[in-house]
Amino acid sequence: MAIAQRIARAAVEQPKLVGPAAPPLLQAVALTQDDLKKIAAYKAVEHVKSGMVVGLGTGSTAKHAVDRIAQLLRQGKLKNIVGVPTSTQTHEQAVSLGIPLSDLGSHPVVDLAIDGADEVDPSLNLVKGRGGSLLREKMVESVAKKFIVIVDESKLVKYVGGSRLAMPVEVVQFSWSHSLKRLEALFAHAGCVAQLRKAAAEGGGKKPYVTDNNNYIIDLYFEKEIGDLNRASDAVLRLPGIVDHGMFIGLATSVIIAGVDGVTIKTKKGNEIELDYFCYSDLRKGL
């Protein structure tokens, strides 16, 4: 059953709500995790306007946003869009869908970037890069006038590293094991364990994962909070051999979170975070 049909079955006509709490749907609706990703992605694409330069994210959630932009271009609802892809994978997807592409050399300012995240903390700081594209993602999203993050509710954490899954660091291949030991020592206070990311090798076995930039990735796993994120970022980037890390601090403008009961949008307004909520009846026409 299509997402729109599933949502329509659970439709509850309520206005948009603003505040810390959101009411549940009066009827249960069975949405998969991929459905939630697609809902968040489609909601983000509503912000794309004709004539924009758009940063195209990478990963299973961002893929839906790229698909949706291409669909609207084919329908004539969007025109004169220029996409800036954040990975080889997204470049190939966009080319296959006929989205015009460019790069930061030709378009150094991006109107809007849309991408997923691996973690989102209460201050909208992110962990990204478990898909291996953190450097290009950060290059594009750091120059975006608006950066909308699209996630399902499983990505919400109390603090960066709170999922106890990988916080990636991209490093040069030269003496990577030295970089690994220094990173692990840097975060010893947080119970850090560092591992070189591996990928499947031809003929079986494993080999180091290589990024689009011909670098390696060291994944950091934390048992505790790492402390002040800006200090942690500075400490990592001061280590020779480090290219960049997967902490995206203060970059997100808005985060769209698709949950089983509806969509929550968190938006930065100065030092505050504004909270909006949409039940699925408000969104079903766009899906």
Side-chain angles (χ1 to χ4, degrees):
M1 185 184 298
I3 294 176
Q5 293 174 307
R6 294 182 211 170
I7 292 174
R9 285 177 56 189
V12 180
E13 295 298 341
Q14 296 185 25
K16 181 178 77 171
L17 301 177
V18 178
L25 292 175
L26 298 183
Q27 286 180 258
V29 55
L31 296 173
T32 68
Q33 186 178 35
D34 193 60
D35 290 337
L36 297 179
K37 293 177 179 181
K38 191 171 186 178
I39 289 166
Y42 277 37
K43 187 64 181 172
V45 173
E46 291 178 9
H47 295 265
V48 179
K49 307 300 179 186
S50 294
M52 277 188 169
V53 177
V54 182
L56 305 177
T58 297
S60 58
T61 308
K63 178 180 181 297
H64 290 305
V66 177
D67 285 340
R68 180 60 169 169
I69 290 169
Q71 181 184 48
L72 294 175
L73 283 169
R74 289 194 300 270
Q75 293 172 351
K77 296 178 180 179
L78 286 177
K79 298 179 180 179
N80 301 319
I81 294 295
V82 176
V84 180
T86 56
S87 66
T88 299
Q89 175 185 349
T90 300
H91 183 278
E92 292 173 352
Q93 179 195 3
V95 168
S96 72
L97 295 171
I99 299 175
L101 298 179
S102 188
D103 56 30
L104 294 180
S106 300
H107 294 85
V109 177
V110 174
D111 294 305
L112 169 66
I114 300 174
D115 205 354
D118 301 306
E119 293 183 3
V120 181
D121 80 0
S123 298
L124 308 191
N125 298 309
L126 318 172
V127 170
K128 290 177 52 56
R130 290 179 190 157
S133 302
L134 65 97
L135 177 59
R136 297 190 187 188
E137 288 172 339
K138 190 175 287 187
M139 290 178 68
V140 172
E141 290 150 12
S142 66
V143 297
K145 296 177 183 177
K146 181 184 291 186
F147 173 28
I148 299 178
V149 179
I150 47 178
V151 296
D152 65 84
E153 59 190 356
S154 71
K155 306 300 184 182
L156 302 181
V157 295
K158 293 181 179 179
Y159 57 88
V160 165
S163 68
R164 295 194 175 183
L165 299 176
M167 197 285 280
V169 180
E170 189 160 344
V171 303
V172 298
Q173 294 191 27
F174 175 75
S175 293
W176 66 264
S177 60
H178 176 69
S179 296
L180 183 150
K181 291 173 184 175
R182 295 195 73 182
L183 287 166
E184 198 168 62
L186 185 64
F187 294 108
H189 64 280
C192 178
V193 175
Q195 296 179 0
L196 179 70
R197 185 176 298 186
K198 297 291 185 68
E202 293 184 12
K206 297 285 186 178
K207 63 180 181 180
Y209 174 88
V210 179
T211 71
D212 287 344
N213 315 300
N214 203 37
N215 296 315
Y216 287 169
I217 286 182
I218 294 173
D219 287 319
L220 307 183
Y221 299 86
F222 304 113
E223 290 293 327
K224 306 173 186 176
E225 290 189 59
I226 62 175
D228 184 276
L229 296 182
N230 286 304
R231 289 184 180 180
S233 171
D234 291 344
V236 171
L237 296 176
R238 282 197 299 267
L239 297 177
I242 302 301
V243 179
D244 214 326
H245 55 71
M247 292 183 285
F248 283 52
I249 305 167
L251 293 182
T253 307
S254 301
V255 177
I256 298 177
I257 306 152
V260 294
D261 295 326
V263 174
T264 301
I265 302 177
K266 296 183 177 183
T267 303
K268 286 184 181 176
K269 298 290 185 181
N271 293 325
E272 303 294 325
I273 294 177
E274 181 180 281
L275 188 66
D276 292 339
Y277 175 78
F278 299 81
C279 61
Y280 284 130
S281 61
D282 297 323
L283 303 176
R284 68 187 186 278
K285 291 182 180 180
L287 297 169

